[in-house]
């Protein structure tokens, strides 16, 4: 019965909200009916119509009073009060359009500058996987001393899947690989992206294709048997115009025919952050796509190319899953000591995977989000100061309301309603500002061989964040003015209108807000200047070799199913013919150019004659596979020994070149030339060090001194290589050589695609100018916005203080005070606040500097230049903000000031 009554009451209350006008008309009709009935009773008892009506009204205790009592009984008066407050607030705000517009613009700026970095942090850290029930999807990783987020081999994946019970299913995938795609036989191949996945990939992720079907487990069971493919939605739409009949069609990938069996849904954007696969193929087809030709993908336990994910079973804890996987890794180490020595395994959450220590993207997002919140706080303090000033001008209104019986809580609700309206309007403006910022970030292009998608977007999560920020801003901005206004003294308010009483402690609230604004703005400016200085220092470090007059062009003969012999012949002929092009000075080949976007390969090595520590069997070092004339083409001096020669063939003794950093680390007391190392393990064929090259900058953010090893491509087969051409100094732009290079490639094989073709300066521009420039501009915009808001707040405080002291200033001038006296009087308070805010801002700036040094620049100490530039600049600007209203106050006419109430 109680539930039925509650439901009936809830329905009536909901009806009174949604159909307010109809319910009010029904209430009027009902009360009029009762009134008419009582009037008829009075007339029947001998009263005149007028007397009968008066008696009926007295008996009903007044119509309006009855209406209020009935409305209160509905318990929805809070909504009607809110509507009334909103109507009054809108009328009140329309009377001050300038103030309203400034407040809305200030909040829009603060919210928009917060939403933009929030979208970065959400995409890079917090956004769930685009699959149903993403919370129970975890990543399984291998661990070692050098890498806490390592991949697994295919054999290890199969063992994990067969020997774990903590998961509903375990799935595997590889990194994106470039493939040669052609829709029909005989058509030239175009470069697209593919991902190899396990047969249970879509089923384990609970993803149903839009068309056709997903892979079956048996289609991933036999090596090379089932050449089937699932298309990505964007690829299907662009390449096949969204044709539903694509299912069953044959396409060619890397020269092999594949049958299309399905199309992935639009909502499934893949499990990668910056890329969407064009095509999914089974892991069983790895022979056509594997990136490591020196390993057998299906048999070698140390060919680790597979990323493993799993869905936790309901009721299984993360700790239990981790214990089970760790025990399995211990068994691997016991059963396969050579391939899995000193290796463990761990279960990582989505956030742990996205916040790996070597990934800098999320670090930028976190720093930008913190600074965005600071900008929003500056905006809120500015608005709160303005509302405090406005509240003082409404003292008589508030006093009248209190005198008529309004409660303090009722007044706070009224004033907070105004703040809520301003916050919502600012939130809408913030959406526009945030959308513009996200759009600008999405236009940023990354010069990569594979297509890169910027994942920042204005989605439902960002709309929710904007709503929360708007409501939070309304609360922060309006609470202090509302509380202060509700404490107003009725007698004083009715007497003094909007003039402060002598001796009263005035402006303490606005003063605190201005101090906070100055401190936070100084911190923002310091952060932007520190970021600029950090990137500028990295730029001034240089690369260690000349970067001008260099041309890059990438090739991957695997796209056309070249074997090792054909690959070698192609690169040899390509280099020989390009050397004969007029204007070419040097030509070489490399697996990864310095400062490129791809990670260098890492190789295990053991130096001969060096006693290894007890707890390890090998060392790790970054390496590159290069062609002859590499050091001469790039201009990297070989300080001892020699570089690679044409005689260093596959049949010749194995040789290597190391850099000075590697030589100093392992042979600090002698010459490394002539020493031997063994790659991969201690039993491998020895490799003689024939030269020591100067240490250069290998990757953006590299602090320098990174140990490095070079191997000749003739002794270490690599399919994908980059052609590097040094043009003669007489040629202004190396891009002018591109037509001749294309013609040579077309003559060697008309179907061979060039994955990327650009000058080295273009690559350098991204890593040293464009990429850092985006970060500097974003933080600089935040700093500039914070400064503008702080200056506006300080100017408003000084101007308001001067206006409240107009009579006092007039008396002082009448008694003989000169301009300087008035300037000191008015500016003194503002400059004192600036000084206090500067001290607090210096402490905050120092904290931000330590955060940046730890997360981005890997530096220490304090950058005194940044503070010597930012602090005086801040002081000059804030002094100007106090001088202008002070100068205006010094020109007050005493006669005019003395007549002011």
């Amino acid at each position: 019965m109680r539930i039925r009554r509650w439901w009936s009451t809830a329905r009536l209350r909901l009806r009174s909200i949604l159909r307010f006008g109809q319910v009010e008309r029904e209430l009027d009709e009902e009360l009029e009916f009762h009134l008419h009935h009582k009037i008829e009773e009075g007339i029947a008892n001998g009263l005149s119509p007028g007397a009968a009506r008066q008696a009926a009204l007295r008996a009903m205790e007044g119509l309006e009073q009855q209406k209020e009592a009935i409305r209160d009984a509905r318990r929805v008066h809070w909504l009607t009060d809110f509507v009334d407050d909103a109507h009054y607030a809108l009328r009140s705000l329309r009377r001050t359009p300038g103030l309203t517009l400034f407040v809305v613009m200030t909040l829009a700026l603060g919210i928009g500058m917060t939403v933009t970095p929030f979208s970065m942090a959400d995409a890079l850290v917090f956004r769930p996987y685009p699959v149903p029930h993403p919370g129970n999807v975890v990543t399984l990783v291998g661990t070692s001393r050098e890498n806490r987020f390592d991949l697994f081999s295919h054999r290890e994946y199969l063992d994990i899947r067969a020997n774990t019970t903590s998961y509903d299913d375990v799935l595997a995938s590889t990194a994106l690989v470039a493939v040669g795609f052609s829709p029909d036989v005989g058509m030239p191949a175009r470069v697209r992206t593919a991902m190899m996945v396990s047969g249970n990939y879509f089923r384990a992720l609970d993803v149903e294709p839009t068309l056709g079907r997903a892979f079956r487990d048996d289609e991933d069971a036999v090596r090379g048997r089932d050449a089937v493919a699932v298309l990505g939605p964007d690829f299907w739409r662009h390449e096949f115009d969204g044709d539903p009949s694509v299912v069953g069609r044959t396409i060619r990938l890397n020269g092999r025919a594949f049958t299309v069996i399905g199309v992935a849904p639009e909502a499934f954007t893949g499990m990668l952050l910056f890329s969407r696969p064009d095509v999914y193929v089974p892991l069983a087809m790895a022979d056509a796509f594997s990136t490591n030709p020196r390993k057998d993908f299906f048999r070698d336990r140390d060919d680790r190319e597979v990323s493993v994910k799993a869905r936790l079973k309901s009721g299984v804890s993360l700790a239990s899953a981790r214990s089970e996987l760790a025990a399995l890794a211990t068994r691997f180490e016991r059963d396969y000591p050579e391939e899995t020595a000193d290796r463990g395994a761990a279960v990582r959450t989505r956030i742990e995977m996205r916040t790996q220590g070597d990934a800098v993207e999320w670090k930028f997002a976190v720093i930008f989000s913190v600074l965005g919140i600071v900008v929003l706080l500056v905006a809120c303090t500015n608005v709160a100061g303005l509302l405090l000033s406005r509240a003082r001008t409404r003292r008589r209104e508030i006093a009248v309301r209190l005198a008529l019986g309004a409660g303090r809580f009722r007044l706070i609700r009224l004033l907070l309603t105004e703040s809520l309206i301003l916050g919502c309007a600012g939130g809408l403006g913030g959406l526009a500002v945030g959308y513009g910022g996200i759009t600008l970030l999405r236009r940023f292009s990354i010069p990569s061989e594979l297509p890169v998608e910027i994942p920042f977007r204005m989605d439902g999560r960002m709309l929710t964040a904007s709503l929360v920020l708007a409501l939070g801003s309304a609360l922060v901005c309006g609470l202090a003015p509302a509380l202060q206004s509700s404490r107003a003294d009725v007698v004083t308010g009715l007497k003094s209108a909007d003039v402060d009483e002598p001796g009263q402690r005035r402006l303490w609230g606005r003063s605190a807000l201005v101090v906070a604004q100055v401190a936070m703005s100084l911190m923002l400016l310091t952060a932007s200047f520190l970021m600029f200085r950090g990137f500028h220092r990295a730029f001034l470090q240089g690369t260690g070799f000349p970067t001008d007059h260099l041309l890059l062009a990438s090739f991957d003969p695997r796209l056309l199913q070249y074997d090792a012999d054909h690959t070698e012949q192609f690169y040899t002929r390509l280099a020989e013919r390009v050397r004969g092009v007029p204007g070419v000075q040097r030509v070489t080949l490399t697996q990864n150019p310095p400062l490129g976007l791809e990670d260098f390969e890492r190789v295990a090595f053991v130096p001969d004659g060096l006693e290894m520590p007890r707890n390890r069997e090998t060392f790790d070092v970054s390496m590159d596979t290069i062609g002859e004339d590499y050091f001469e083409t790039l201009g990297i001096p070989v300080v001892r020994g020699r570089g690679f020669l044409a005689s260093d063939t596959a049949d010749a003794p194995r040789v290597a070149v190391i850099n000075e950093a590697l030589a100093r680390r392992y042979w600090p007391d002698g010459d490394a030339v002539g020493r031997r190392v063994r790659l991969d393990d201690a039993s491998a064929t020895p490799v003689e060090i024939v030269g020591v090259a100067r240490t250069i900058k290998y990757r953006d953010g590299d602090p320098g001194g990174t140990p490095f090893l070079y191997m000749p491509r003739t002794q270490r087969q690599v399919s994908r290589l980059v052609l590097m051409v040094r043009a003669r100094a007489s040629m202004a732009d190396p891009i002018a050589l591109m037509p001749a290079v294309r013609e040579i490639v077309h003559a060697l094989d008309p179907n061979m695609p060039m994955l990327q073709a650009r000058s080295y300066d273009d690559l350098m521009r991204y890593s040293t100018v464009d990429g850092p420039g985006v970060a500097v501009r974003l933080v600089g915009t935040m700093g500039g916005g914070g400064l503008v808001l702080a200056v506006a707040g300080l100017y408003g405080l000084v101007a308001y203080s001067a206006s409240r002291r107009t009579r006092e200033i007039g008396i002082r001038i009448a008694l003989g005070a000169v301009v300087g006296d008035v300037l000191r009087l008015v500016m003194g308070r503002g400059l004192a606040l600036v000084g206090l805010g500067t001290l607090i801002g210096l402490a905050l700036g120092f904290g931000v500097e330590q955060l940046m040094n730890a997360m981005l620049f890997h530096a220490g100490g304090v950058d005194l230049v940044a503070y010597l530039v930012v602090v005086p600049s801040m002081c000059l600007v804030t002094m100007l903000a106090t001088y202008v209203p002070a100068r205006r106050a010094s020109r007050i006419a005493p006669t005019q000031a003395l007549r002011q109430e």
Side-chain angles (χ1 to χ4, degrees):
M1 293 295 295
R2 296 181 62 184
I3 295 177
R4 185 180 302 174
R5 182 183 178 188
W6 176 88
W7 173 245
S8 176
T9 305
R11 290 173 58 191
L12 292 175
R13 289 173 180 170
L14 186 63
R15 183 173 180 269
S16 67
I17 294 174
L18 299 179
R19 297 186 177 182
F20 179 76
Q22 181 179 347
V23 171
E24 285 294 306
R25 287 193 299 271
E26 293 175 354
L27 176 61
D28 291 339
E29 292 173 359
E30 183 176 356
L31 291 177
E32 284 293 334
F33 171 79
H34 287 291
L35 178 64
H36 182 70
H37 182 71
K38 288 185 177 295
I39 291 174
E40 288 181 347
E41 288 181 352
I43 294 174
N45 292 329
L47 297 176
S48 64
R53 181 177 180 82
Q54 292 297 327
L57 289 173
R58 286 195 300 271
M60 294 182 64
E61 298 180 355
L63 289 181
E64 293 301 324
Q65 288 81 356
Q66 287 295 327
K67 289 181 182 179
E68 288 296 328
I70 294 173
R71 290 175 186 135
D72 291 341
R74 297 175 191 159
R75 297 182 181 179
V76 295
H77 58 86
W78 57 269
L79 179 62
T80 57
D81 290 346
F82 174 76
V83 173
D84 293 339
D85 290 345
H87 288 162
Y88 177 80
L90 289 173
R91 291 196 304 270
S92 178
L93 294 174
R94 280 200 299 267
R95 289 195 294 267
T96 56
L99 175 68
T100 302
L101 181 61
F102 182 80
V103 168
V104 170
M105 291 178 61
T106 299
L107 289 177
L109 183 64
I111 294 174
M113 285 191 176
T114 308
V115 168
T116 301
F118 272 18
S119 70
M120 299 172 60
D122 178 63
L124 298 175
V125 180
F126 301 109
R127 184 180 298 165
Y129 294 128
V131 298
H133 313 294
N136 60 359
V137 177
V138 294
T139 303
L140 314 185
V141 298
T143 60
S144 63
R145 291 185 181 87
E146 291 77 20
N147 191 351
R148 309 300 295 176
F149 297 86
D150 204 359
L151 303 176
F152 289 106
S153 66
H154 185 259
R155 290 284 301 276
E156 289 173 331
Y157 156 67
L158 295 178
D159 288 344
I160 292 173
R161 185 177 178 183
N163 294 281
T164 52
T165 60
S166 299
Y167 315 103
D168 287 326
D169 216 338
V170 181
L171 58 130
S173 62
T174 64
L176 281 185
V177 294
V179 299
F181 160 77
S182 57
D184 295 300
V185 178
M187 297 185 65
R190 301 192 297 273
V191 178
R192 294 296 183 264
T193 61
M195 175 183 283
M196 295 184 289
V197 300
S198 55
N200 65 336
Y201 184 80
F202 291 102
R203 187 191 71 244
L205 293 176
D206 201 12
V207 174
E208 290 292 334
T210 300
L211 295 175
R213 64 175 177 85
F215 301 121
R216 297 190 302 262
D217 285 0
D218 62 285
E219 290 172 329
D220 190 32
V222 180
R223 180 173 184 171
R225 183 187 68 183
D226 297 292
V228 291
V230 173
L231 305 182
D234 294 339
F235 181 72
W236 169 59
R237 193 166 49 251
H238 295 153
E239 291 289 342
F240 299 97
D241 297 325
D243 184 5
S245 63
V246 71
V247 176
R249 181 172 174 174
T250 299
I251 61 175
R252 301 189 71 83
L253 301 175
N254 282 4
R256 178 160 182 174
F258 281 76
T259 301
V260 177
I261 62 171
V263 177
E266 184 69 31
F268 181 63
T269 56
M271 304 297 281
L272 303 177
L273 277 179
F274 295 99
S275 303
R276 294 188 181 187
D278 293 326
V279 184
Y280 299 88
V281 296
L283 284 172
M285 302 304 299
D287 287 336
F289 305 102
S290 181
T291 59
N292 192 347
R294 293 178 295 278
K295 296 288 186 179
D296 188 319
F297 179 84
F298 298 98
R299 296 179 180 176
D300 293 340
R301 300 188 71 88
D302 56 350
D303 182 18
R304 296 185 171 92
E305 303 183 43
V306 174
S307 173
V308 179
K309 285 183 168 55
R311 275 194 182 273
L312 282 173
K313 283 183 178 179
S314 178
V316 176
S317 67
L318 192 62
S320 175
R322 283 172 170 163
S323 298
E324 182 185 42
L325 187 62
L328 185 60
T330 302
R331 200 180 88 185
F332 286 169
E333 189 174 10
R334 182 184 66 247
D335 295 342
Y336 311 100
E338 294 184 1
E339 296 90 346
T340 59
D342 297 325
R343 283 183 59 83
V347 181
R348 307 291 189 194
T349 63
R350 181 188 73 253
I351 293 180
E352 287 175 333
M353 290 300 297
R354 292 179 177 177
T355 55
Q356 300 180 37
D358 57 347
V360 298
E361 295 86 359
W362 70 271
K363 298 177 182 179
F364 277 110
V366 169
I367 290 177
F368 290 157
S369 298
V370 171
L371 298 181
I373 293 175
V374 173
V375 174
L376 180 59
L377 290 176
V378 173
C380 289
T381 54
N382 201 333
V383 172
L386 291 173
L387 295 182
L388 276 173
S389 300
R390 186 169 183 266
R392 285 183 174 273
T393 64
R394 300 175 64 182
R395 290 183 62 191
R396 175 167 287 175
E397 173 196 342
I398 300 299
V400 170
R401 290 180 178 274
L402 290 173
L404 293 177
R408 183 184 178 194
F409 180 70
R410 186 68 182 83
L411 282 176
I412 292 176
R413 282 171 49 193
L414 172 65
L415 297 176
L416 283 180
T417 300
E418 293 186 10
S419 301
L420 180 62
I421 293 175
L422 292 173
C424 291
L428 292 176
L431 283 177
V433 175
Y435 181 79
I438 294 173
T439 302
L440 290 177
L441 288 177
R442 288 179 62 87
R443 291 180 180 177
F444 180 65
S445 60
I446 300 176
S448 174
E449 293 179 358
L450 302 180
V452 176
E453 178 180 341
I454 304 299
F456 315 139
R457 60 176 181 262
M458 181 66 73
D459 54 10
R461 295 167 62 83
M462 287 302 98
L463 293 176
T464 304
S466 300
L467 176 62
V468 172
L469 289 174
L471 296 178
S473 301
L475 182 63
V476 171
C477 297
L479 187 58
L483 292 175
Q484 183 171 343
S485 299
S486 65
R487 294 194 185 101
D489 181 72
V490 177
V491 177
T492 303
L494 292 175
K495 287 181 178 180
S496 60
D498 62 344
V499 180
D500 295 326
E501 291 184 8
Q504 191 179 19
R505 295 181 62 187
R506 302 166 298 178
L507 303 178
W508 64 267
R510 291 202 63 184
S511 299
L513 294 176
V514 169
V515 170
Q517 284 179 311
V518 172
M520 289 185 288
S521 301
L522 181 61
M523 185 192 73
L524 288 170
L525 289 174
T526 302
S528 60
F529 198 77
L530 286 171
M531 186 165 287
F532 168 77
R533 290 269 297 168
F535 286 123
H536 185 63
R537 281 195 300 268
F539 177 77
L540 292 180
Q541 287 177 357
T543 60
F545 61 93
T547 61
D548 57 327
H549 294 85
L550 274 176
L551 180 71
L552 305 178
S554 301
F555 303 92
D556 194 343
R558 288 175 303 179
L559 304 182
L560 302 180
Q561 292 294 290
Y562 277 34
D563 57 20
D565 292 338
H566 283 88
T567 298
E568 174 62 25
Q569 292 175 10
F570 170 77
Y571 283 128
T572 300
R573 293 173 181 174
L574 176 65
E576 288 176 353
R577 296 191 183 186
V578 172
R579 286 190 184 96
V581 174
V584 171
Q585 182 179 356
R586 294 276 187 176
V587 175
T588 191
L589 292 158
T590 180
Q591 186 177 2
N592 282 315
L595 295 173
L597 298 179
E598 302 294 330
D599 291 331
F600 284 111
E601 185 179 354
R602 292 190 68 83
V603 63
F605 80 104
V606 179
D608 275 3
L610 183 67
E611 183 178 354
M612 299 294 295
R614 291 183 178 180
N615 59 346
R616 65 187 309 164
E617 297 180 357
T618 63
F619 297 109
D620 269 10
V621 66
S622 297
M623 67 158 294
D624 193 14
T625 302
I626 62 176
E628 59 179 305
D629 291 339
Y630 175 85
F631 300 106
E632 293 80 3
T633 302
L634 268 68
I636 302 174
V638 178
V639 294
R640 289 188 296 277
R642 64 173 177 86
F644 298 130
L645 306 175
S647 58
D648 295 321
T649 62
D651 299 327
R654 301 188 71 191
V655 294
V657 173
I658 63 175
N659 69 351
E660 293 175 299
L662 185 61
R664 284 194 300 268
R665 176 170 296 185
Y666 296 104
W667 298 279
D669 300 328
D671 192 353
V673 175
R675 303 294 181 93
R676 294 173 180 268
V677 297
R678 298 176 188 268
L679 303 184
D680 298 323
D681 58 64
S683 62
T685 303
V687 177
E688 182 182 356
I689 298 174
V690 297
V692 177
R694 177 179 296 170
T695 301
I696 63 172
K697 188 174 183 179
Y698 300 97
R699 280 291 173 261
D700 186 38
D702 180 8
T706 301
F708 207 83
L709 181 143
Y710 302 91
M711 289 289 294
R713 71 173 188 86
T714 52
Q715 297 183 356
R716 189 178 179 89
Q717 291 184 353
V718 176
S719 179
R720 176 198 166 279
L721 289 174
V722 179
L723 178 74
M724 302 189 72
V725 181
R726 170 77 69 180
R728 297 188 181 277
S730 58
M731 182 170 291
D733 190 352
I735 293 294
L737 296 173
M738 189 58 65
V741 175
R742 290 185 186 276
E743 185 177 346
I744 292 173
V745 173
H746 185 77
L748 293 173
D749 189 337
N751 293 321
M752 179 64 69
M754 297 176 64
L755 301 184
Q756 64 172 335
R758 60 169 54 93
S759 69
Y760 196 84
D761 284 338
D762 288 340
L763 191 65
M764 283 287 298
R765 187 178 302 111
Y766 164 77
S767 62
T768 60
V769 179
D770 294 343
V774 172
V776 171
R777 285 193 295 271
L778 183 57
V779 178
T781 302
M782 292 180 179
L787 177 62
V788 170
L789 294 176
V791 169
L794 183 60
Y795 176 89
L797 174 70
V798 177
Y800 177 76
S801 175
S803 67
R804 310 298 289 181
R805 304 175 70 178
T806 299
R807 185 180 182 87
E808 174 191 349
I809 293 173
I811 294 175
R812 289 178 179 272
I813 295 176
L815 294 176
V818 296
V819 173
D821 298 329
V822 177
L823 290 178
R824 285 191 297 272
L825 174 68
V826 178
M827 293 180 62
R829 185 182 186 89
L831 294 180
L833 297 178
V834 170
L836 180 58
T838 300
L839 292 177
I840 299 175
L842 283 174
L844 295 176
F846 178 76
V848 170
E849 181 178 17
Q850 302 311 307
L851 178 66
M852 287 186 173
N853 287 340
M855 298 183 69
L856 298 180
F857 302 117
H858 306 290
V862 178
D863 190 344
L864 294 178
V865 175
Y867 296 100
L868 291 176
V869 171
V870 171
V871 174
S873 301
M874 183 78 178
C875 291
L876 287 175
V877 173
T878 51
M879 284 182 65
L880 182 63
T882 60
Y883 175 78
V884 173
R887 183 67 179 176
R888 184 180 300 145
S890 68
R891 296 176 179 176
I892 294 176
T895 55
Q896 178 184 355
L898 293 174
R899 284 196 298 267
Q900 181 173 343
E901 183 183 357

